[in-house]
Structure formats: structure tokens, C-alpha cells
Amino acid sequence: MPVPGPSPAQSSLPAAAARFGTHGHGRGTDAVTGGKPALPTGPALPFGPAARPFHPVSAPAPAPVPEALPVPGEGPGGDAVAEPARAAAAATATPNPALERIMRGPSGVGTEGLFFTPRQAPSAAPPEPATAPDVPAPRPAAGGRPIPGLYHHPVPEPDPARVEEVSRRIKRWAVDEVEAYPPEWEDQFDGFSVGRYMVACHPDAPTVDHLMIATRLMVAENVVDDCYCEDHGGSPVGLGGRLLLAHTALDPVHTTAEYQSEWAQSLLSDAPRRSYRSAMEYFTRAATPSQADRYRHDMARLHMGYLAEAAWAETKYVPEVSEYLAMRQFNNFRPCPTITDTVGGYELPADLHAMPAMQRVIALAGNATTISNDLYSYTKELDSPGLHLNLPVVIAAREGLSDKEAYLKAVGIHNDLMHAFEAAAAELAVSCPDPRVVRFLRGVAVWVDGNHYWHQSNTYRYSLPDFW
């Protein structure tokens, strides 16, 4: 793809992003430009029974860490690695009442309409089996196993009917509407299991249409990442120019009449921009202006993180651990959980979303889930060409630890971030018990758990290192 402006030409981007044809001459043009029924805005959504019953997700006690989990006690920093990991694992055994309240959802006068099925009142003691509520207990993930010692909550298997329908629709969108990938990438698209991913992360979505909002945005973000940055010819060279023009598909350009049509046509010129444009069009039909602007802001954060990582790649700089963690606060999953209210069919008002305490919760959720991604994708990235930065790699390089020690220390860092996220969410729920705040916090927490479920269960993409 030609890169406008003074940015140097991209070193290895094949026509991967652009080769699927000018969209106006390809298949599905009409599907992009019209014929889609508008979704209701969040605040006006009438609540009622969903396509399937919604089972509130509780916060079960985490599984104990196996006694046999080896923790390195030799080599440089062995004890320093072992103690934080043990402490983080031990901390999982103490339930947080405020967090449990978040996971149950808002309660009190006026909140009954926030749920699709009657809620179970909390009990002082666990019920006897004969009187247990008719809510299925979480089952093990469909495949894979969790990283030993990683703090997480199991979730119920996502509704298979919804998974199938979302998977069918998203593939049709990716192939026919935006031509996001060629036939030879089909196995990778299917292996991503994005339908199962999004249904697990958004169990309270009232309709499949609402699930599709998140699913399109997730696929579009990955198209940009793959084609501009990483797997399919991406390069750090000239990335800034490409990302800026792609961002205009989310945040429209307002220019003179002479150049407006040229910019509009450019949004159809490659797969990343087509994907962003279409996904954002669907999103803004369902979102309020405040929610849409929030998302644009978070995507700008994401793109800034991409650029920091690209700059380090160009200069072959391995950042300090603190620098890497700072970059990962921007190059992370943050845009995904912050749309949980839109996908849920309601709105967390801008003033409540902008509270520093809420911003801390969202940042910690994004940071924890992104480090989880580092850990699950560790072996996949080691097998890719060149040096791929992730937290264990940076810790090993900067702190002189073995690969195993660095990986286990990264597990402890993830656990610390998870505990900080849950503590911050619980504190905010107590200090600001607005039902919309509590509902949003619950949605973010469920998203975090669903994100882990997808990483654990996606054995097509991920496998664990042989450290245990």
C-alpha cells in the first residue's frame, strides 16, 4: 500500500491490506452502504427477554494452585521470583465482599429491569444441593488449560447458538462487506474463534445484533494489527502514516469540498480502512455520541501504543520493564471493555465514565488482560521471525533472569494487576453505588473473565511453554 506523505515506504507490507480489490468494484458494496436496520440507542433500549436466558456470573473461589507447581529457587533472582508468585497465588483465596456484590450486579429499588432473569438473593451460607438455584455451574473451558498460578475466574461456556450465529454473521461481514481477508487466510480467521470470544465476553448482550457491534470492532482492530503491524506483512516502517489515515475511518476528516471526496474514497482503498469504516458505522448507530467519542479516544490510545512499540522495533531497543508496562497500558485491550455498556444496550454517562476512579478501573482491566495475552501468546511469538517484545522477554533481558524465571515473574505481575483491578472496582462500587456504575463495573469484570476464557481455550492459536 503506498504511504502518503514523507513517511518512508513500508518495508514488507505486501498488497495484503489492499490487494482484495477496490471495494467499489468488489463484492458486497451495497451491503456496506445501506440496507442495515439501525439499532436502538443505549438509553432507549427496551429491556426484555433475550434470545436466550442470561445467567448472572458469580465470582467463584479460584482454583487452588497445585502444590507441585515448581517455582525456580535457583539461578539469578530465583527467590525474588518465587515469593511474589506464591504471595499472589495465596491472595486468591480471600473473597472480596464488595467484588462479589459487583459480580451479582446492582440491587435495590429500580434495578430489577437491568436483568433478564430473576436474580438470586445472596445467602449467608452456601445452599444445599437440593435447593441450589437453577443456574449452571461454570464448566471447564472447551480446550486448553489455564496457566498454572494465573489468577482468574472460570466462566460458563458461551451459549452455542449465539456463538454459531455470531460466527456466521461475522464471516459474512468480513468476506462480503469489507473483504478483510483473502481465501488463504480463512483457516486463521476460523481459528481465531471470534464468535466464541465475544459471546463469552458479553453474556448480557440483549441481542445478537448487539454482540455483532463488539465482534466487528474486534475483527477490524485485528485486521489493522495484522496488515499494518505484524502477522501479514506489517512493518514498523511508515506505520504512523498508515495508522493516522486508518484512524480517520473512526474519527472523520472535516476538510474542504475539493478534498473531502478524495478522503472518503481512501477509506475503501485497503482492508484495514474498509474494516474500521464499516465497523464504526454499525457502532455509531447503536452508541450515543458520548460513547462513540469515548471509543475514538481509546482507539487513539491504542494507536499511540502501536507507534511506541514500532519505534522500539526500528531502533532495536529493548525497553525497561517499567517502560514496557507503560506502553502496554496504551497498546492493549482497553477499547474492548469500555464499550460494554453499548453492547449491553445502556449507557454509563460521560461524567461517571470520566471519574478518575473509573478510569483507574478500566486501565487496570486493560493492563491485566494484556499481560494475560503476553503470557498465553508467549510461545507463538517466540516462533515468529525476529524479536517480539512481550513481558517475559523484556523481564529476561532487563533483569537477567532465565526464560522460566521471567515467565513466572510475569505471572505474578499479572496477578498483582488483577488484584489491583478488583480492589479498585470494589472500592468504586462502595463509594459510588449508582446502579449504572455497578452494572458497568460488573460488565468490565465479566469481560476480563471472558477474555481469559478465550485465551485459555483457543488451542489453535496458543500453547503453554514447558515450564511446569
Side-chain angles (χ1 to χ4, degrees), residues 52 158-159 162-163 166 194-203 211:
R52 50 109 176 139
D159 183 321
R162 281 194 160 193
V163 171
V166 171
V194 67
R196 186 158 52 91
Y197 191 178
M198 293 297 96
V199 175
C201 286
H202 297 284
L211 281 168

Side-chain angles (χ1 to χ4, degrees), residues 447-464:
W447 192 93
V448 168
D449 294 341
N451 184 68
H452 173 268
Y453 159 86
W454 176 79
H455 281 84
Q456 172 194 334
S457 62
N458 195 328
T459 54
Y460 175 88
R461 289 174 62 86
Y462 305 122
S463 60
L464 301 187

Side-chain angles (χ1 to χ4, degrees), residues 381-436:
E381 292 173 350
L382 286 184
D383 291 339
S384 61
L387 176 66
H388 198 296
L389 294 181
N390 58 48
L391 184 57
V393 166
V394 173
I395 291 173
R398 282 297 187 174
E399 299 187 1
L401 300 182
S402 70
D403 291 346
K404 179 176 179 178
E405 291 168 336
Y407 190 92
L408 294 179
K409 183 168 184 181
V411 170
I413 291 172
H414 165 273
N415 292 352
D416 288 345
L417 289 168
M418 277 291 292
H419 291 308
F421 157 65
E422 293 186 348
E427 182 179 345
L428 179 55
V430 171
S431 63
C432 184
D434 185 306
R436 296 166 298 182

